[in-house]
Amino acid sequence: MVRLTVPRVTVALLSALLLAYAFAIAPMNGAGERPDPSRALVAEATAAPSPAVSPPAAVFPPAGKTFVGVATKEGPHDFTPVDAFTAAARHQPQVMLFGSGWATDTFDPALFEGISDRGMLPMLAWEPWDYRLDEEAREKGTERHKIDKLRSNQPDYRLSHITRGDFDRYLRSWAEGIKALGHPVAIRFAHEMNGNWYPWCEMANGNQPGDYVEAWRHVHDLFEAAGATNVIWVWSPNARWSNSTPDLAGLYPGDDYVDWVGLSGYYGMGAFSKYRTFDAIFAETIKEIRTFTGKPLVITETAASDMVGRKAEWITETFRSLPRHADIIGLIWFEVNKERDWRIVSSPAVTKAFAEGVADQRYRFTWSPDLIPRTELGD
């Protein structure tokens, strides 16, 4: 005995309707004949199903969220400081920034995979210079202004030498390696270019106006040609510290060459030795940047010292300020004891202030390799 189920009843009703249409409603064909109802039934049964609508890809960071990442002296060579930061902050960093110098470092996939496996987007601070000159001068106790002059004078790493192809073989080795990783990698190439303390700054090392943009575009185009399209390009000047700072528009490679705009700025050192709030340090430069690009903004390096005993206060105020900046999608804390102790583990009060600030739901989400980087504020 045949049981009538909902599908069987539906098919029977459809068949009856089609037969009625064929004999009573449908017009005759050109030969004076009515269409064959069996063909109509076959066509209905074999018609291709409507394609499923895929949900939109998830982006990083999600709308209304801000990631909080970390940078350490050891980088992915030793995750002990990252573990200490994570425990103190009671927060899993979504991004990890680490540096690499062209004179000594070759591409090592293990460094990137080590970061990714811990649930963090790798961000490479890629530096065209020999950083050993800087380290040797520090070990000798050389005065800071002399260190800046020493390390910024490296003619082999002049920007024009990058553009003319002196480093192309080296660049391709990294492009091919990053492409093979299969997950996003952020590259902060030649940061703080508006200063005078690195050999890639236009105010140092015999560089000329326009050289920085040409070098950036050369590096970017070489990666594109190699098929390394999984790179998030991060252009990252230093926060304006005086009226003598060059205009940033002339150093910007253009929206076609940049995905995120970064900024470095610290409280408790140099021009910012006296107490200055987060907005006092960054707002003027952000306003200038917004005159020539609307790309998402990341504070790629920041921290505070306790030289006047207001480090915890500065941290609390910073986390209160961030939600007012809808265009800031991320902040990376410089968890290093260098020149000053910038770490959040420097005192119980500082640790408490940071943990309370980052506990807000705005900063609570995770990174995974399948997320699509947010490269436009409207994404």
Side-chain angles (χ1 to χ4, degrees), residues 1 5 35 85 88 97 100 102 120 152 180 197 201 211 235 238 270 289 292 304 366:
M1 180 177 181
T5 62
F85 173 90
L97 171 70
S100 178
W102 288 15
M120 298 179 288
S152 65
W197 48 83
C201 297
D211 283 353
W235 178 78
N238 199 81
I289 287 170
F292 56 84
T366 58

Side-chain angles (χ1 to χ4, degrees), residues 92-372:
Q92 166 61 48
Q94 298 99 337
V95 175
M96 183 175 179
L97 171 70
F98 73 102
S100 178
W102 288 15
T104 58
D105 299 338
T106 57
F107 178 77
D108 183 355
L111 301 179
F112 295 88
E113 298 294 4
I115 295 173
S116 176
D117 290 346
R118 285 173 167 257
M120 298 179 288
L121 167 71
M123 181 182 290
L124 171 68
W126 212 22
E127 304 169 353
W129 69 325
D130 187 346
Y131 63 80
R132 293 171 297 187
L133 299 179
D134 176 79
E135 291 183 345
E136 291 169 0
R138 291 178 187 276
E139 290 174 359
K140 293 177 181 178
T142 306
E143 296 177 5
R144 186 180 171 191
H145 71 280
K146 293 182 178 179
I147 293 176
D148 287 348
K149 288 184 178 180
L150 176 65
R151 69 180 177 184
S152 65
N153 184 29
Q154 299 188 31
D156 287 346
Y157 294 94
R158 220 165 258 160
L159 290 168
S160 59
H161 294 190
I162 297 173
T163 303
R164 76 185 185 189
D166 289 10
F167 300 94
D168 280 5
R169 181 179 296 180
Y170 180 76
L171 298 177
R172 287 193 189 94
S173 68
W174 281 77
E176 292 165 0
I178 288 175
K179 174 186 176 182
L181 291 173
H183 60 70
V185 170
I187 295 182
R188 186 179 69 146
F189 169 66
H191 62 288
E192 299 175 12
M193 77 300 292
N194 57 327
N196 60 4
W197 48 83
Y198 288 124
W200 56 80
C201 297
E202 284 195 350
M203 294 191 296
N205 203 29
N207 296 317
Q208 301 297 317
D211 283 353
Y212 183 83
V213 167
E214 290 184 5
W216 177 288
R217 291 178 177 177
H218 180 81
V219 174
H220 176 281
D221 290 347
L222 190 146
F223 270 68
E224 288 283 312
T229 56
N230 54 324
V231 173
I232 306 165
W233 292 96
V234 186
W235 178 78
S236 184
N238 199 81
R240 182 176 289 280
W241 65 93
S242 75
N243 292 330
S244 65
T245 306
D247 291 340
L248 293 176
L251 297 167
Y252 187 63
D255 283 356
D256 290 342
Y257 291 86
V258 174
D259 298 305
W260 292 349
V261 171
L263 269 178
S264 300
Y266 293 79
Y267 154 60
M269 184 176 179
F272 306 134
S273 294
K274 294 182 179 180
Y275 187 79
R276 297 186 71 187
T277 65
F278 177 89
D279 283 332
I281 293 172
F282 290 104
E284 181 183 358
T285 312
I286 293 174
K287 182 179 179 180
E288 179 183 359
I289 287 170
R290 287 299 172 235
T291 65
F292 56 84
T293 181
K295 286 291 184 178
L297 183 66
V298 177
I299 305 300
T300 43
E301 276 189 49
T302 196
S305 78
D306 223 354
M307 61 183 303
V308 294
R310 302 181 70 177
K311 182 175 180 177
E313 178 186 351
W314 191 87
I315 290 171
T316 298
E317 183 276 332
T318 293
F319 277 110
R320 288 175 181 167
S321 298
L322 281 175
R324 297 197 295 267
H325 296 274
D327 54 346
I328 295 180
I329 64 169
L331 177 148
I332 298 176
W333 190 265
F334 191 66
E335 187 70 0
V336 177
N337 186 358
K338 173 188 174 183
E339 298 161 340
R340 303 279 189 275
D341 191 348
W342 306 107
R343 300 171 302 163
I344 68 167
V345 298
S346 61
S347 75
V350 169
T351 299
K352 182 174 182 290
F354 196 95
E356 289 177 349
V358 82
D360 190 280
Q361 287 302 309
R362 183 181 188 85
Y363 315 106
R364 296 296 180 173
F365 58 96
T366 58
W367 174 82
S368 65
D370 58 333
L371 296 178
I372 305 299

